[in-house]
Amino acid sequence: MNGDERKRALLHDTAVCYRFVKATAAACKLGSGFPSYSSSTQTLLKSIKDLSSATLDYLLAFPSKSPEDPVEYRRRRQSLVTIRLAWQNIHLYVQPAVDADTLNVPTELIQMLTDRVRLIQGCGSMEFAAIHTDKLNYFQFPPGEFERTVLDLASIVSAKTEWPPDLGIIALPHSQAQHLFLNGLLAHEIGHSIFLRLNCLEQIKNLIPGALDNVFRPPQDVGLDAAERGRLPGILQDWAEEIFCDLLGVHLLGPSFVLASIEFFDMANRLGGDGHIDQTAAKSDFKFSRSHPSRLFRLSRQTALLEKLGWWDVIKASNSHNIQLMNESLSLRRNSFSFEEIIAPTGDRIVDAFYQCIEGIEVEVERVTEALRDDAGHAREIPEYVALKDCVDTYLSHAVVPSTLWVKDGFKTPSSIVLLNAAHMYYLTGIEDLIKSSDKPESDDIHLRAVWMERVENWTTKGLEDISMLKKEGA
Amino acid sequence: MTSVAHLKGEELMRVSTTESTSRYLSMALASRRLMNHLDIFSLTGEMDEPTTSALRNLLSIIDAGGQTGNSFAPVPGTSPFGRYEQTLVVNEVAQPFNLKDVRGKLGHIIDGTVPAGERPTAVRDVNEFLYDLENRALHEYSEMSSQREW
């Protein structure tokens, strides 16, 4: 191509990229009225919009800075591809963010989680924008990915574009916004944001190569090929982050988080008719995968943490098969678990190495969440939970929203975390009572049961809204 | 040393596809960012700490390439070049640049020992390597993004 041809080609290609970016960002409209967005989602949408403006400005000036030198030209030309593919990635998140208006996200739960996170040192002004995902999975959304793309792109197109430093992104399945208790799993997603923001990996990263070196001293390392050897530190890093997020979820939400995990994975299926874990049914759940520790391992660590925090003592007597499963998970030991994607005995050694890191991960979670516990190391809300649980039960069993409770000789507003956990326990064990007091007391109808379950969630959501409003008024 | 092509099919099956795909985009973006910063360095001789740190990280990956010591590598952290598959790409791309001693030039840029008069040449050669790295990462990203998920 001669100079003119090259210029025409560049003008054309830049315009193509310009149109693509403009169309991608067009969905981020922020008007007043419907749909309305939480302030954090507005911040997210505005940031995408700002980034698109910066990118468009960059592209407008792009052809004029084209170098004559063919090597320099080639190098500069390729940045169009990079920008385009970065926007292709951002495209994945734009519509899901637009869809997550206030009617389609669990606003009160997110506010409650945000309030809890803000108690953590270094997270005092964090906020979370919820977006939708078409995947029915709370555990696969990589929040850092989007953030990293946006930050890197911003630094390429304009030195002035900034990503809000206190904004974390969480994703929930688009169909599940109304399922209050299940959405407790968002606490895990929030964990990923905190892990990144507080640079928690820095505190635990040195444990991993050391633990691997310990278990793979020659000649035990003969089972590893170069690729496996190269990947292992990354695999253990991922496991460590997942466990960190689980444990942080327990600190943030208490038993409700663990119960949400059980419901999401339908883990009650692993409980046999004799009340013990059925080894055949649970076979897959003992296995670690490349991206996550085994489900039962995660459950056992979560439940052990509830025990440490004092929650377990106040919920263990509950007559629920989910509580029974949690109890069973406490008796699982190292030899219950395996990593079979890498053949034995190598896989087992990798789990051994991870066990050597666990304590360090738990210490890091404890360090981060110190403000959420009392001097004895227990969750601060437990005395309040003990005092108000029966009262919340009574209110729910009479179909009354439990936001202002009459206790002994006065009214009391429970904290959000106490209400959520008390109501979640009632959801497990109290539905029978609601059915018995209905006009079909003997009914085994699933539809009817589902309706009562939904009502308990709705009353609890309303209770959380009331508490939030009362808190704002009080402030 | 294991090649990326050899691993790709295996990786697609075993690792969370979205996440592993996006790592190549991060790699491309990081390469581009470094090129831009090196251009500024070429003109002014100044470099900020994040850029120095990212270049140091890249250099350590090149230095570790192909070595099979007894100890395990550090965890990849958040480095866009640090995951095993990405380190393979870095080393594959770096190989043809041995003749231009890109590793040495990168080291001098990081140390601040490259004389002002030689800065443009050193940056140009390192940027050629980063350009290839970006090119390769974009290719991997496009290829993996267009794989069928089901």
Side-chain angles (χ1 to χ4, degrees), chain A residues 42 48 103 114 191 196 207 226 254 320 341-342 394 452 465 468:
Chain A
Q42 284 184 35
I48 298 174
L103 292 178
T114 306
L196 262 179
L207 300 171
S320 155
E341 288 180 41
I342 294 179
T394 308
W452 283 112
E465 282 170 14
S468 169

Side-chain angles (χ1 to χ4, degrees), chain B residues 3 8 18 23 25 44 46 78 80 102 105 111 120 130:
Chain B
S3 73
K8 215 176 287 170
T18 319
R23 284 187 194 127
L25 178 62
T44 64
E46 286 169 14
T78 51
V102 161
K105 286 170 184 160
D111 296 343
L130 289 169

